Amino acid sequence: MTFYSTNRQSADMSFSEAVIKGLPQDKGLFFPKEIPVLPASFFEALPELTLAEIAYQVLSPYTTPDLTADQLKTICEEVFTFPIPLVEVEEGISALELFHGPTCAFKDVGARFMSRCLQAFSTSGNPVTVLVATSGDTGSAVANGFLGVANIEVVILYPEGGVSDIQEMQFTTLGQNITSVAVKGTFDDCQSLVKQAFSDEELSKEMQLSSANSINVARWLPQMVYYFHAWGQWRKQNPAADASAVTFAVPSGNFGNLAAGLLARQMGLPIANFIAATNRNKIVPDYLETGIYAPAPSVATIANAMDVGAPNNFPRILELFGNDFDALLQVVKGYWTDDEPIRSVIREVNAQGNYLMDPHGAIGYMSLKKYLPEFKTAGIFLETAHPAKFQQSIEAIIGTDVALPEQLQAFLNKPKHSLSIKNDFSELAAILQEQVKL
Protein backbone atom coordinates (compact mmCIF):
# COMPACT_ATOMS: atom_id res chain seq x y z
CA MET A 1 0.00 0.00 0.00
CA THR A 2 1.20 3.50 -0.79
CA PHE A 3 0.03 6.73 0.82
CA TYR A 4 -0.42 10.13 -0.79
CA SER A 5 -0.67 13.60 0.72
CA THR A 6 -4.11 15.17 0.98
CA ASN A 7 -2.48 18.36 -0.34
CA ARG A 8 -1.14 16.39 -3.34
CA GLN A 9 2.14 18.30 -3.50
CA SER A 10 4.42 15.62 -2.02
CA ALA A 11 5.58 12.27 -3.35
CA ASP A 12 3.67 9.09 -2.48
CA MET A 13 5.26 6.98 0.25
CA SER A 14 5.15 3.42 1.51
CA PHE A 15 3.65 2.62 4.90
CA SER A 16 7.06 2.55 6.60
CA GLU A 17 8.11 5.83 4.99
CA ALA A 18 4.84 7.49 5.99
CA VAL A 19 5.18 6.25 9.58
CA ILE A 20 8.71 7.55 9.96
CA LYS A 21 8.01 10.82 8.13
CA GLY A 22 4.82 11.49 10.08
CA LEU A 23 3.70 14.41 7.93
CA PRO A 24 4.24 15.07 4.21
CA GLN A 25 6.48 18.03 3.41
CA ASP A 26 3.51 19.91 1.90
CA LYS A 27 1.78 19.91 5.35
CA GLY A 28 -1.03 17.63 4.20
CA LEU A 29 -1.86 14.26 5.74
CA PHE A 30 -0.94 10.81 4.49
CA PHE A 31 -3.94 8.94 3.09
CA PRO A 32 -4.13 5.39 1.67
CA LYS A 33 -4.07 5.15 -2.10
CA GLU A 34 -6.74 2.44 -1.99
CA ILE A 35 -9.42 1.50 0.53
CA PRO A 36 -10.03 -2.27 0.43
CA VAL A 37 -13.50 -3.70 1.07
CA LEU A 38 -13.46 -6.71 3.36
CA PRO A 39 -15.33 -9.89 2.27
CA ALA A 40 -18.71 -10.94 3.64
CA SER A 41 -17.06 -13.96 5.27
CA PHE A 42 -15.06 -11.63 7.54
CA PHE A 43 -18.21 -9.96 8.87
CA GLU A 44 -19.90 -13.32 9.40
CA ALA A 45 -16.97 -14.48 11.52
CA LEU A 46 -16.41 -11.10 13.23
CA PRO A 47 -18.44 -11.69 16.44
CA GLU A 48 -16.20 -14.63 17.37
CA LEU A 49 -12.82 -13.11 16.43
CA THR A 50 -10.37 -11.80 19.02
CA LEU A 51 -9.18 -8.21 18.90
CA ALA A 52 -5.77 -9.32 17.64
CA GLU A 53 -7.37 -11.41 14.87
CA ILE A 54 -9.57 -8.50 13.80
CA ALA A 55 -6.57 -6.14 13.83
CA TYR A 56 -4.50 -8.44 11.64
CA GLN A 57 -7.17 -8.75 8.95
CA VAL A 58 -8.15 -5.07 8.99
CA LEU A 59 -4.61 -3.63 8.99
CA SER A 60 -2.86 -6.12 6.72
CA PRO A 61 -3.74 -4.34 3.43
CA TYR A 62 -2.25 -1.07 4.71
CA THR A 63 0.99 -2.44 6.17
CA THR A 64 1.94 -4.90 3.40
CA PRO A 65 4.70 -5.37 2.29
CA ASP A 66 6.53 -3.20 4.83
CA LEU A 67 5.53 -5.54 7.65
CA THR A 68 5.58 -9.27 7.02
CA ALA A 69 2.56 -11.34 8.01
CA ASP A 70 4.47 -12.68 11.01
CA GLN A 71 5.58 -9.19 12.08
CA LEU A 72 2.05 -7.82 11.90
CA LYS A 73 0.60 -10.78 13.79
CA THR A 74 3.19 -10.34 16.54
CA ILE A 75 2.51 -6.61 16.79
CA CYS A 76 -1.26 -7.14 16.97
CA GLU A 77 -0.84 -9.78 19.68
CA GLU A 78 1.39 -7.42 21.69
CA VAL A 79 -0.88 -4.38 21.29
CA PHE A 80 -4.37 -5.82 21.83
CA THR A 81 -3.76 -7.39 25.23
CA PHE A 82 -6.53 -5.63 27.18
CA PRO A 83 -10.32 -5.95 26.89
CA ILE A 84 -12.53 -3.41 25.08
CA PRO A 85 -15.98 -4.38 26.37
CA LEU A 86 -19.33 -3.15 25.07
CA VAL A 87 -21.37 -2.33 28.18
CA GLU A 88 -25.08 -1.58 28.17
CA VAL A 89 -25.84 1.72 29.93
CA GLU A 90 -29.57 1.68 29.26
CA GLU A 91 -31.87 0.02 26.76
CA GLY A 92 -30.64 0.83 23.26
CA ILE A 93 -27.46 2.65 24.36
CA SER A 94 -24.11 1.02 25.13
CA ALA A 95 -20.66 2.32 26.02
CA LEU A 96 -17.57 0.99 24.27
CA GLU A 97 -15.07 1.08 27.11
CA LEU A 98 -11.71 2.02 25.64
CA PHE A 99 -10.01 2.72 28.98
CA HIS A 100 -8.76 -0.69 30.10
CA GLY A 101 -5.25 -0.26 28.68
CA PRO A 102 -2.02 0.81 30.42
CA THR A 103 -2.88 4.54 30.59
CA CYS A 104 -6.68 4.16 30.81
CA ALA A 105 -7.45 5.91 27.51
CA PHE A 106 -8.36 4.91 23.95
CA LYS A 107 -5.07 6.24 22.66
CA ASP A 108 -3.26 3.23 24.13
CA VAL A 109 -4.32 1.30 21.01
CA GLY A 110 -2.77 3.63 18.45
CA ALA A 111 0.28 4.59 20.52
CA ARG A 112 1.23 0.98 21.25
CA PHE A 113 0.74 -0.04 17.62
CA MET A 114 2.81 2.85 16.35
CA SER A 115 5.64 2.30 18.82
CA ARG A 116 6.08 -1.26 17.60
CA CYS A 117 5.90 -0.24 13.94
CA LEU A 118 8.48 2.47 14.45
CA GLN A 119 10.71 0.06 16.33
CA ALA A 120 10.48 -2.37 13.41
CA PHE A 121 11.34 0.36 10.91
CA SER A 122 14.11 2.20 12.80
CA THR A 123 16.78 -0.47 12.44
CA SER A 124 19.21 1.62 10.41
CA GLY A 125 20.97 3.02 13.49
CA ASN A 126 19.69 6.54 12.90
CA PRO A 127 17.82 7.67 16.03
CA VAL A 128 14.24 8.83 15.58
CA THR A 129 12.77 11.69 17.61
CA VAL A 130 9.02 11.39 18.09
CA LEU A 131 7.51 14.85 18.53
CA VAL A 132 3.93 15.01 19.78
CA ALA A 133 1.46 17.61 21.04
CA THR A 134 -1.10 16.57 23.66
CA SER A 135 -4.22 17.95 25.27
CA GLY A 136 -4.06 15.15 27.82
CA ASP A 137 -4.34 11.49 26.89
CA THR A 138 -2.09 11.39 23.81
CA GLY A 139 0.92 12.37 25.92
CA SER A 140 0.45 9.61 28.46
CA ALA A 141 -0.32 6.95 25.85
CA VAL A 142 2.65 7.86 23.66
CA ALA A 143 5.04 8.19 26.59
CA ASN A 144 4.12 4.79 27.98
CA GLY A 145 3.98 3.17 24.54
CA PHE A 146 7.50 4.31 23.64
CA LEU A 147 9.11 4.17 27.09
CA GLY A 148 12.49 2.48 26.88
CA VAL A 149 12.23 1.72 23.16
CA ALA A 150 15.77 1.65 21.79
CA ASN A 151 16.84 4.29 19.26
CA ILE A 152 13.75 6.44 19.81
CA GLU A 153 13.51 9.70 21.76
CA VAL A 154 10.11 11.23 22.59
CA VAL A 155 9.39 14.93 23.08
CA ILE A 156 5.90 15.78 24.35
CA LEU A 157 4.47 19.31 24.16
CA TYR A 158 1.48 20.16 26.35
CA PRO A 159 -0.30 23.38 27.35
CA GLU A 160 0.93 24.51 30.76
CA GLY A 161 -1.98 24.13 33.20
CA GLY A 162 -4.15 22.68 30.43
CA VAL A 163 -4.17 18.98 31.35
CA SER A 164 -5.38 17.20 34.48
CA ASP A 165 -2.90 16.44 37.26
CA ILE A 166 -3.10 12.71 36.66
CA GLN A 167 -2.65 13.11 32.90
CA GLU A 168 0.43 15.24 33.51
CA MET A 169 1.91 12.73 35.95
CA GLN A 170 1.61 9.98 33.36
CA PHE A 171 4.17 11.56 31.03
CA THR A 172 6.30 13.81 33.26
CA THR A 173 7.38 11.17 35.80
CA LEU A 174 8.88 8.58 33.45
CA GLY A 175 12.32 9.89 32.50
CA GLN A 176 14.49 7.65 30.30
CA ASN A 177 13.78 8.55 26.66
CA ILE A 178 10.76 10.77 27.44
CA THR A 179 11.12 14.58 27.53
CA SER A 180 8.09 16.66 28.56
CA VAL A 181 7.77 20.33 27.60
CA ALA A 182 5.11 22.64 29.06
CA VAL A 183 4.19 25.40 26.60
CA LYS A 184 2.83 28.72 27.81
CA GLY A 185 -0.17 28.62 25.51
CA THR A 186 -3.01 26.41 24.29
CA PHE A 187 -3.05 22.96 22.74
CA ASP A 188 -3.45 24.62 19.33
CA ASP A 189 -0.19 26.48 20.01
CA CYS A 190 1.50 23.15 20.81
CA GLN A 191 0.10 21.64 17.63
CA SER A 192 1.32 24.62 15.59
CA LEU A 193 4.84 24.26 17.02
CA VAL A 194 4.87 20.59 15.99
CA LYS A 195 3.86 21.50 12.44
CA GLN A 196 6.58 24.16 12.29
CA ALA A 197 9.17 21.61 13.36
CA PHE A 198 8.16 19.19 10.61
CA SER A 199 8.34 21.87 7.93
CA ASP A 200 11.65 23.35 9.14
CA GLU A 201 14.35 22.44 6.61
CA GLU A 202 17.26 22.92 9.03
CA LEU A 203 15.78 20.55 11.60
CA SER A 204 14.99 17.96 8.93
CA LYS A 205 18.66 17.92 7.93
CA GLU A 206 19.86 17.53 11.51
CA MET A 207 17.48 14.88 12.80
CA GLN A 208 14.87 12.30 11.87
CA LEU A 209 11.55 13.58 13.21
CA SER A 210 8.36 11.56 13.41
CA SER A 211 4.95 12.42 14.83
CA ALA A 212 2.89 10.27 17.18
CA ASN A 213 -0.28 12.32 17.07
CA SER A 214 -3.24 10.78 15.27
CA ILE A 215 -1.94 12.52 12.15
CA ASN A 216 0.55 9.62 11.90
CA VAL A 217 -0.94 6.75 9.90
CA ALA A 218 0.34 4.18 12.43
CA ARG A 219 -1.60 5.99 15.18
CA TRP A 220 -4.68 6.59 13.05
CA LEU A 221 -5.30 3.28 11.27
CA PRO A 222 -5.40 0.88 14.27
CA GLN A 223 -8.28 2.90 15.75
CA MET A 224 -10.48 1.20 13.14
CA VAL A 225 -10.09 -2.10 14.97
CA TYR A 226 -12.33 -1.32 17.92
CA TYR A 227 -15.17 -0.18 15.64
CA PHE A 228 -15.16 -3.62 13.99
CA HIS A 229 -14.90 -5.23 17.41
CA ALA A 230 -17.78 -3.15 18.81
CA TRP A 231 -20.03 -4.00 15.87
CA GLY A 232 -19.18 -7.68 16.28
CA GLN A 233 -20.08 -7.59 19.97
CA TRP A 234 -23.29 -5.70 19.22
CA ARG A 235 -24.27 -8.31 16.59
CA LYS A 236 -23.56 -11.08 19.08
CA GLN A 237 -25.85 -9.38 21.61
CA ASN A 238 -28.52 -8.51 19.00
CA PRO A 239 -28.47 -11.30 16.37
CA ALA A 240 -32.00 -10.53 15.14
CA ALA A 241 -31.40 -6.82 14.54
CA ASP A 242 -30.74 -5.24 11.15
CA ALA A 243 -26.96 -5.47 10.69
CA SER A 244 -26.63 -1.74 10.00
CA ALA A 245 -29.06 -0.51 12.67
CA VAL A 246 -26.40 1.07 14.88
CA THR A 247 -25.10 4.61 15.34
CA PHE A 248 -21.69 5.49 16.77
CA ALA A 249 -21.27 8.69 18.79
CA VAL A 250 -17.62 9.69 18.74
CA PRO A 251 -16.24 12.28 21.20
CA SER A 252 -14.07 14.36 18.90
CA GLY A 253 -11.17 16.77 19.30
CA ASN A 254 -8.59 16.25 16.58
CA PHE A 255 -11.06 13.97 14.73
CA GLY A 256 -8.67 11.07 14.11
CA ASN A 257 -11.00 8.71 15.97
CA LEU A 258 -14.01 9.66 13.86
CA ALA A 259 -11.92 9.51 10.66
CA ALA A 260 -10.91 5.94 11.60
CA GLY A 261 -14.54 4.92 12.13
CA LEU A 262 -15.51 6.37 8.77
CA LEU A 263 -12.63 4.53 7.10
CA ALA A 264 -13.90 1.30 8.70
CA ARG A 265 -17.31 2.05 7.19
CA GLN A 266 -15.75 2.40 3.73
CA MET A 267 -14.08 -0.98 4.27
CA GLY A 268 -17.57 -2.46 4.56
CA LEU A 269 -18.49 -2.09 8.23
CA PRO A 270 -22.29 -1.58 8.12
CA ILE A 271 -22.71 1.45 10.37
CA ALA A 272 -25.76 3.61 9.69
CA ASN A 273 -24.66 6.90 11.19
CA PHE A 274 -21.87 8.68 13.02
CA ILE A 275 -22.16 11.65 15.36
CA ALA A 276 -19.26 14.07 15.72
CA ALA A 277 -19.77 14.97 19.37
CA THR A 278 -17.75 17.77 20.90
CA ASN A 279 -17.64 20.58 23.44
CA ARG A 280 -17.62 24.36 22.97
CA ASN A 281 -14.84 23.92 20.41
CA LYS A 282 -17.57 23.26 17.86
CA ILE A 283 -15.71 23.90 14.61
CA VAL A 284 -16.95 20.73 12.90
CA PRO A 285 -20.58 20.83 14.12
CA ASP A 286 -20.73 24.40 12.84
CA TYR A 287 -19.29 23.28 9.51
CA LEU A 288 -21.86 20.50 9.21
CA GLU A 289 -24.61 23.05 9.82
CA THR A 290 -23.33 25.90 7.64
CA GLY A 291 -20.86 24.42 5.15
CA ILE A 292 -18.27 26.95 6.35
CA TYR A 293 -15.10 25.58 7.91
CA ALA A 294 -13.69 28.20 10.27
CA PRO A 295 -11.00 27.10 12.75
CA ALA A 296 -10.86 29.30 15.83
CA PRO A 297 -8.75 29.65 18.98
CA SER A 298 -9.55 26.80 21.35
CA VAL A 299 -11.38 27.41 24.62
CA ALA A 300 -10.88 25.48 27.85
CA THR A 301 -13.65 23.07 28.93
CA ILE A 302 -14.26 20.25 31.37
CA ALA A 303 -13.70 17.83 28.45
CA ASN A 304 -10.14 19.05 27.97
CA ALA A 305 -8.96 16.35 25.55
CA MET A 306 -11.31 17.89 22.97
CA ASP A 307 -10.20 21.49 23.46
CA VAL A 308 -9.07 21.79 19.85
CA GLY A 309 -9.89 24.77 17.63
CA ALA A 310 -8.15 23.54 14.48
CA PRO A 311 -8.78 19.78 14.15
CA ASN A 312 -5.78 18.20 12.43
CA ASN A 313 -7.55 15.11 11.08
CA PHE A 314 -10.60 16.73 9.55
CA PRO A 315 -9.01 16.82 6.06
CA ARG A 316 -9.01 13.00 6.15
CA ILE A 317 -12.77 13.01 6.72
CA LEU A 318 -13.25 15.33 3.75
CA GLU A 319 -10.98 13.06 1.68
CA LEU A 320 -13.08 10.01 2.56
CA PHE A 321 -16.12 11.73 1.07
CA GLY A 322 -14.29 13.19 -1.93
CA ASN A 323 -14.93 16.68 -0.51
CA ASP A 324 -18.63 16.12 -1.22
CA PHE A 325 -20.44 18.06 1.52
CA ASP A 326 -23.83 16.52 0.78
CA ALA A 327 -22.43 12.98 0.92
CA LEU A 328 -20.81 13.76 4.27
CA LEU A 329 -24.11 15.03 5.68
CA GLN A 330 -25.79 11.74 4.77
CA VAL A 331 -23.55 9.89 7.25
CA VAL A 332 -22.23 12.35 9.85
CA LYS A 333 -24.20 14.59 12.20
CA GLY A 334 -22.73 17.22 14.48
CA TYR A 335 -23.38 17.80 18.17
CA TRP A 336 -21.88 20.09 20.78
CA THR A 337 -22.64 21.07 24.35
CA ASP A 338 -21.42 23.30 27.16
CA ASP A 339 -19.88 22.29 30.49
CA GLU A 340 -22.93 22.47 32.73
CA PRO A 341 -25.05 19.97 30.76
CA ILE A 342 -22.07 17.60 30.85
CA ARG A 343 -21.94 17.81 34.64
CA SER A 344 -25.69 17.29 34.88
CA VAL A 345 -25.79 14.18 32.71
CA ILE A 346 -22.80 12.58 34.48
CA ARG A 347 -24.56 13.13 37.80
CA GLU A 348 -27.92 11.89 36.50
CA VAL A 349 -26.72 8.71 34.77
CA ASN A 350 -24.48 7.80 37.70
CA ALA A 351 -27.37 8.19 40.13
CA GLN A 352 -29.95 6.36 38.03
CA GLY A 353 -27.98 3.61 36.40
CA ASN A 354 -24.81 3.37 38.45
CA TYR A 355 -22.71 3.98 35.34
CA LEU A 356 -20.03 6.62 35.67
CA MET A 357 -19.00 8.42 32.48
CA ASP A 358 -16.02 10.68 31.90
CA PRO A 359 -16.77 14.15 30.41
CA HIS A 360 -15.93 13.05 26.85
CA GLY A 361 -18.07 9.92 26.92
CA ALA A 362 -20.86 11.96 28.47
CA ILE A 363 -20.95 14.19 25.39
CA GLY A 364 -21.23 11.10 23.20
CA TYR A 365 -24.09 9.82 25.35
CA MET A 366 -25.89 13.18 25.14
CA SER A 367 -25.56 13.22 21.36
CA LEU A 368 -27.22 9.79 21.14
CA LYS A 369 -30.10 10.96 23.31
CA LYS A 370 -30.65 13.75 20.81
CA TYR A 371 -30.37 11.78 17.56
CA LEU A 372 -31.57 8.24 18.26
CA PRO A 373 -35.28 9.15 18.14
CA GLU A 374 -34.63 10.39 14.58
CA PHE A 375 -32.31 7.55 13.52
CA LYS A 376 -34.32 4.74 15.14
CA THR A 377 -31.17 2.64 15.65
CA ALA A 378 -29.22 1.33 18.60
CA GLY A 379 -26.49 3.65 19.86
CA ILE A 380 -22.88 3.12 20.91
CA PHE A 381 -20.84 5.93 22.42
CA LEU A 382 -17.09 5.73 22.88
CA GLU A 383 -16.06 5.99 26.51
CA THR A 384 -12.59 7.22 25.65
CA ALA A 385 -10.96 7.58 29.08
CA HIS A 386 -11.45 6.31 32.61
CA PRO A 387 -13.41 8.81 34.74
CA ALA A 388 -10.62 8.70 37.33
CA LYS A 389 -8.34 10.52 34.87
CA PHE A 390 -10.51 13.54 35.69
CA GLN A 391 -10.72 12.71 39.38
CA GLN A 392 -11.17 16.21 40.80
CA SER A 393 -13.83 17.21 38.28
CA ILE A 394 -15.80 13.97 38.58
CA GLU A 395 -15.69 13.91 42.37
CA ALA A 396 -16.99 17.48 42.46
CA ILE A 397 -19.84 16.47 40.12
CA ILE A 398 -21.05 13.30 41.87
CA GLY A 399 -20.10 14.25 45.42
CA THR A 400 -18.25 11.02 46.21
CA ASP A 401 -14.72 9.69 45.83
CA VAL A 402 -13.60 8.10 42.58
CA ALA A 403 -11.14 5.27 43.09
CA LEU A 404 -8.04 5.28 40.94
CA PRO A 405 -7.45 2.08 38.95
CA GLU A 406 -4.16 0.33 39.54
CA GLN A 407 -2.67 1.69 36.31
CA LEU A 408 -3.10 5.28 37.53
CA GLN A 409 -2.04 4.68 41.14
CA ALA A 410 1.40 3.73 39.85
CA PHE A 411 2.09 7.36 38.88
CA LEU A 412 1.22 8.95 42.22
CA ASN A 413 3.89 10.64 44.36
CA LYS A 414 6.58 10.39 41.71
CA PRO A 415 8.66 13.52 40.99
CA LYS A 416 7.70 15.40 37.84
CA HIS A 417 10.33 16.49 35.33
CA SER A 418 9.22 19.02 32.75
CA LEU A 419 10.82 21.79 30.74
CA SER A 420 8.95 25.07 30.17
CA ILE A 421 8.98 27.26 27.07
CA LYS A 422 7.08 30.19 25.65
CA ASN A 423 4.98 29.75 22.53
CA ASP A 424 8.15 30.31 20.53
CA PHE A 425 9.49 27.94 17.87
CA SER A 426 13.11 28.95 18.49
CA GLU A 427 12.86 27.63 22.06
CA LEU A 428 11.45 24.30 20.84
CA ALA A 429 14.11 24.08 18.12
CA ALA A 430 16.82 24.51 20.75
CA ILE A 431 15.42 21.58 22.78
CA LEU A 432 15.22 19.37 19.68
CA GLN A 433 18.76 20.25 18.62
CA GLU A 434 19.94 19.34 22.09
CA GLN A 435 18.39 15.89 21.56
CA VAL A 436 20.71 15.39 18.57
CA LYS A 437 23.76 15.98 20.77
CA LEU A 438 22.73 13.44 23.42
Side-chain angles (χ1 to χ4, degrees):
M1 177 73 76
T2 57
F3 294 78
Y4 65 91
S5 170
T6 53
N7 283 347
R8 293 171 170 78
Q9 300 298 313
S10 292
D12 294 353
M13 292 192 174
S14 67
F15 177 71
S16 61
E17 291 171 330
V19 171
I20 293 172
K21 183 71 174 173
L23 275 174
Q25 201 66 34
D26 64 5
K27 301 181 182 179
L29 297 172
F30 285 116
F31 196 86
K33 198 100 176 189
E34 302 169 12
I35 299 176
V37 176
L38 294 165
S41 58
F42 170 74
F43 294 100
E44 291 168 4
L46 189 53
E48 303 302 329
L49 296 179
T50 67
L51 276 161
E53 290 169 339
I54 295 169
Y56 175 77
Q57 294 198 49
V58 168
L59 298 173
S60 181
Y62 300 98
T63 59
T64 303
D66 299 64
L67 292 175
T68 66
D70 286 344
Q71 283 179 310
L72 180 59
K73 283 179 181 176
T74 298
I75 288 173
C76 292
E77 288 167 358
E78 289 178 356
V79 169
F80 293 94
T81 57
F82 52 89
I84 303 179
L86 186 66
V87 178
E88 185 176 67
V89 175
E90 61 187 60
E91 187 176 356
I93 297 180
S94 298
L96 184 66
E97 292 186 344
L98 295 163
F99 54 70
H100 294 280
T103 72
C104 299
F106 80 98
K107 296 177 182 180
D108 282 325
V109 170
R112 282 154 63 88
F113 186 82
M114 184 192 166
S115 70
R116 284 150 180 81
C117 288
L118 202 52
Q119 188 174 31
F121 299 148
S122 61
T123 57
S124 62
N126 296 324
V128 175
T129 297
V130 174
L131 177 62
V132 63
T134 184
S135 56
D137 288 329
T138 290
S140 56
V142 169
N144 285 269
F146 282 87
L147 182 64
V149 176
N151 220 31
I152 296 176
E153 295 292 327
V154 179
V155 177
I156 299 170
L157 306 187
Y158 67 102
E160 192 170 84
V163 302
S164 75
D165 291 344
I166 291 175
Q167 286 172 325
E168 187 177 23
M169 288 178 190
Q170 285 186 295
F171 55 81
T172 60
T173 61
L174 299 175
Q176 296 187 56
N177 59 327
I178 311 298
T179 300
S180 301
V181 182
V183 177
K184 298 184 186 301
T186 66
F187 169 72
D188 291 328
D189 295 326
C190 299
Q191 199 159 248
S192 178
L193 290 172
V194 169
K195 288 184 176 180
Q196 282 182 264
F198 277 98
S199 61
D200 187 272
E201 293 185 5
E202 185 175 341
L203 274 180
S204 65
K205 292 177 183 176
E206 294 179 2
M207 63 194 309
Q208 192 166 332
L209 277 178
S210 185
S211 169
N213 281 94
S214 54
I215 51 179
N216 192 298
V217 291
R219 264 284 317 276
W220 174 50
L221 292 172
Q223 293 177 124
M224 286 191 292
V225 173
Y226 44 74
Y227 287 96
F228 287 96
H229 170 69
W231 182 87
Q233 296 311 296
W234 175 76
R235 287 294 289 158
K236 196 170 185 177
Q237 296 168 10
N238 302 275
D242 182 333
S244 63
V246 62
T247 294
F248 275 84
V250 186
S252 302
N254 244 337
F255 282 80
N257 210 354
L258 178 58
L262 290 166
L263 182 59
R265 184 178 185 272
Q266 289 214 7
M267 292 184 71
L269 188 62
I271 301 173
N273 308 284
F274 284 87
I275 306 171
T278 191
N279 54 27
R280 280 185 292 151
N281 298 281
K282 56 189 181 75
I283 310 307
V284 172
D286 281 351
Y287 168 74
L288 293 171
E289 184 175 334
T290 67
I292 299 170
Y293 187 68
S298 61
V299 294
T301 76
I302 190 175
N304 68 285
M306 305 193 307
D307 292 349
V308 182
N312 257 341
N313 271 287
F314 194 63
R316 282 187 171 130
I317 294 177
L318 297 178
E319 195 74 15
L320 281 163
F321 288 91
N323 289 284
D324 185 331
F325 181 66
D326 291 333
L328 175 61
L329 290 184
Q330 294 299 310
V331 179
V332 182
K333 303 295 183 185
Y335 176 87
W336 74 277
T337 188
D338 217 327
D339 281 1
E340 196 49 48
I342 299 171
R343 294 187 179 98
S344 295
V345 79
I346 290 173
R347 190 180 303 115
E348 178 184 328
V349 172
N350 182 63
Q352 293 181 356
N354 202 32
Y355 190 86
L356 184 59
M357 300 180 291
D358 88 293
H360 308 82
I363 297 176
Y365 170 85
M366 293 168 71
S367 74
L368 288 174
K369 296 294 280 187
K370 175 182 178 179
Y371 280 110
L372 287 186
E374 172 189 341
F375 293 158
K376 294 180 173 56
T377 69
I380 297 173
F381 69 92
L382 273 54
E383 183 64 5
T384 54
H386 196 290
K389 296 197 80 168
F390 313 93
Q391 188 179 36
Q392 290 180 326
S393 297
I394 298 297
E395 288 179 347
I397 290 168
I398 64 174
T400 59
D401 292 343
V402 176
L404 289 180
E406 185 178 334
Q407 300 101 303
L408 299 182
Q409 290 181 23
F411 296 96
L412 295 178
N413 303 317
K414 289 186 177 181
K416 293 193 294 186
H417 301 283
S418 179
L419 305 175
S420 180
I421 64 172
K422 298 175 185 175
N423 179 24
D424 185 328
F425 178 67
S426 64
E427 293 192 28
L428 173 60
I431 290 173
L432 295 174
Q433 287 164 340
E434 190 64 30
Q435 293 279 336
V436 179
K437 301 173 185 176
L438 296 178

